[in-house]
Amino acid sequence: GLNVFDGAIRKTYNAPSSSIPSNYLTAVAIDKQNRAWVGTYGAGIARLVGEAWTREGVALANNYINALALAADGRPWAATNDGAFFFDGKTWTQFTQANGLASNRVSSIAVAPDQRVWFGTDNGVTVYDGKTYRSYKKSDGLVDNSVRAIAADATRVWVGTARGLAVLESGKWKTYTRADGLADDQIN
């Protein structure tokens, strides 16, 4: 389930006591309207508005959500093992390897401040600028193709893998491992 704390009151949403579609949450994102979006393990995506849950993405090709990320306008991207999905407010659009992703198995997703979308897959990282795709793999300097986590700031992309943390800055990859002071090479 989901616990929400507003600074004074804690509220718990779970399947027996609310209309949340599942207690098995895999991702949470809060939009600018202070609505919670949740990805679930098997029940797709839901959005909390006030006290009411709305199922979103009921018709997704895969209802096992690996990660969620929000665009600047609050519209969600979802990562699944059948590609990524984007909700434009009315319909969901699926993005797959056929469109340009490095793999259909998308484990992580991040929206950079410049609104480029970064996808972490089991075959590298793909960036999408709204028109074109560019993938980075081990052959491009990425430490490992199995990407488990991803985050982007204004100048860098941070990629967590089973073999360390890779950072893309100014077109070059730098890797950090236990030898550099990380607690572990496996970054999730």
Side-chain angles (χ1 to χ4, degrees), residues 133-179:
Y133 297 83
R134 165 72 163 101
S135 291
Y136 297 92
K137 299 181 180 185
K138 199 170 179 180
S139 59
D140 299 306
L142 184 62
V143 66
D144 187 52
N145 283 340
S146 181
V147 176
R148 300 172 173 190
I150 194 162
D153 63 30
T155 60
R156 296 165 296 205
V157 178
W158 303 81
V159 177
T161 76
R163 297 189 177 178
L165 177 67
V167 181
L168 179 64
E169 185 172 21
S170 302
K172 296 191 185 255
W173 287 100
K174 176 156 178 59
T175 301
Y176 298 93
T177 64
R178 290 183 85 174

Side-chain angles (χ1 to χ4, degrees), residues 23 36 47 51 71 73 95 107 111 115 117 134 145 151 174:
N23 286 330
R47 178 176 55 172
E51 293 292 318
D73 61 7
F95 295 80
S107 59
V111 180
Q115 294 309 294
V117 184
R134 165 72 163 101
N145 283 340
K174 176 156 178 59

Side-chain angles (χ1 to χ4, degrees), residues 43-165:
I45 297 169
R47 178 176 55 172
L48 178 63
V49 180
E51 293 292 318
W53 285 98
T54 303
R55 292 270 319 264
E56 304 287 355
V58 177
L60 295 180
N62 188 322
N63 283 318
Y64 294 85
I65 308 303
N66 296 327
L68 289 173
L70 299 177
D73 61 7
R75 295 182 297 172
W77 285 88
T80 76
N81 287 345
D82 288 313
F85 294 86
F86 177 70
F87 186 57
D88 68 6
K90 294 183 182 179
T91 60
W92 288 89
T93 303
Q94 184 177 20
F95 295 80
T96 65
Q97 195 169 2
N99 298 103
L101 295 181
S103 170
N104 286 339
R105 293 179 59 89
V106 182
S107 59
S108 52
I109 194 165
V111 180
D114 64 6
Q115 294 309 294
R116 291 188 301 163
V117 184
W118 292 84
F119 306 92
T121 77
D122 65 348
N123 193 33
V125 174
T126 300
V127 60
Y128 175 60
D129 66 7
K131 294 180 183 163
T132 60
Y133 297 83
R134 165 72 163 101
S135 291
Y136 297 92
K137 299 181 180 185
K138 199 170 179 180
S139 59
D140 299 306
L142 184 62
V143 66
D144 187 52
N145 283 340
S146 181
V147 176
R148 300 172 173 190
I150 194 162
D153 63 30
T155 60
R156 296 165 296 205
V157 178
W158 303 81
V159 177
T161 76
R163 297 189 177 178
L165 177 67

Side-chain angles (χ1 to χ4, degrees), residues 11-26:
K11 171 91 176 168
T12 300
Y13 297 93
N14 55 37
S17 67
S18 76
S19 59
I20 192 170
S22 174
N23 286 330
Y24 301 102
L25 304 185
T26 56

